[in-house]
Each structure stands twice: as C-alpha cells, then as structure tokens.
Amino acid sequence: MSTVNTNAGFWDRFFDGGAEYNRYAIISAVLLIVGCLGGLTVGYGAIDHLYQLFLIIIPTMTTLSLLLAVAPLKYILNMAALTVVIDVVFLIINFLS
C-alpha cells in the first residue's frame, strides 16, 4: 500500500518530488539565472535610480546568501522566484521609460 503526501508544497509538485535529489543542479541553475538577470537589470537602467538598485540588490543578495548557506531548497526557490519577478518588473519599467 502506498501513501500519498498531502502536505507537498508547490516546489515538490513542480519537481515531482525530486527537488532534493536534484539539489545541485537546481542550485547551479538558480545561481546562473538570478546572478545574470540581476546584473542585466542593474545594467539596463537601475544603476541610475537608487531605490531601484536597493530593490534589486537586496533580494538578489538574499538569494545568493541562501545558496551559500545551504538553506532548505524551498526557501531558496521561493526567494529566487521573488527575485526573478522583481528583476523582470524593473527590466520592463526601464525599457518602457
């Protein structure tokens, strides 16, 4: 008889239960995406506005610090998703202005 985990979070369902098994692949992808996207966002206009710079650097550095601290994967992925959303919003704002 098999048991069903009803407490599975979004990331467990997204990775079909293999998030911890693929931890190092996920960490390297998050590092690449968050690092490059943060740099592009700063380079394409956020460098001119101090509030944008703070709102981009704080979540980016928090994500990278969680990676370095080997935090639980759900914290890393939640912060990475928030960081990517913030970066994309500021990229769109700076491209349209």
Side-chain angles (χ1 to χ4, degrees):
M1 176 178 246
S2 66
T3 60
V4 176
N5 186 3
T6 58
N7 295 336
F10 172 76
W11 295 113
D12 287 330
R13 290 190 307 267
F14 184 79
F15 289 109
D16 198 25
E20 283 298 328
Y21 179 74
N22 296 320
R23 180 180 186 87
Y24 296 112
I26 293 169
I27 285 175
S28 63
V30 166
L31 181 64
L32 181 69
I33 292 168
V34 168
C36 291
L37 189 60
L40 286 173
T41 306
V42 169
Y44 282 119
I47 196 77
D48 297 331
H49 307 285
L50 189 61
Y51 72 93
Q52 286 185 6
L53 198 58
F54 280 130
L55 291 175
I56 292 168
I57 288 179
I58 289 172
T60 301
M61 288 299 118
T62 303
T63 303
L64 297 178
S65 297
L66 287 171
L67 289 172
L68 188 61
V70 193
L73 204 53
K74 70 177 185 176
Y75 297 151
I76 293 171
L77 291 173
N78 286 337
M79 196 65 205
L82 177 67
T83 302
V84 167
V85 167
I86 290 171
D87 287 347
V88 168
V89 165
F90 281 117
L91 270 175
I92 292 170
I93 288 171
N94 288 325
F95 276 143
L96 294 179
S97 62

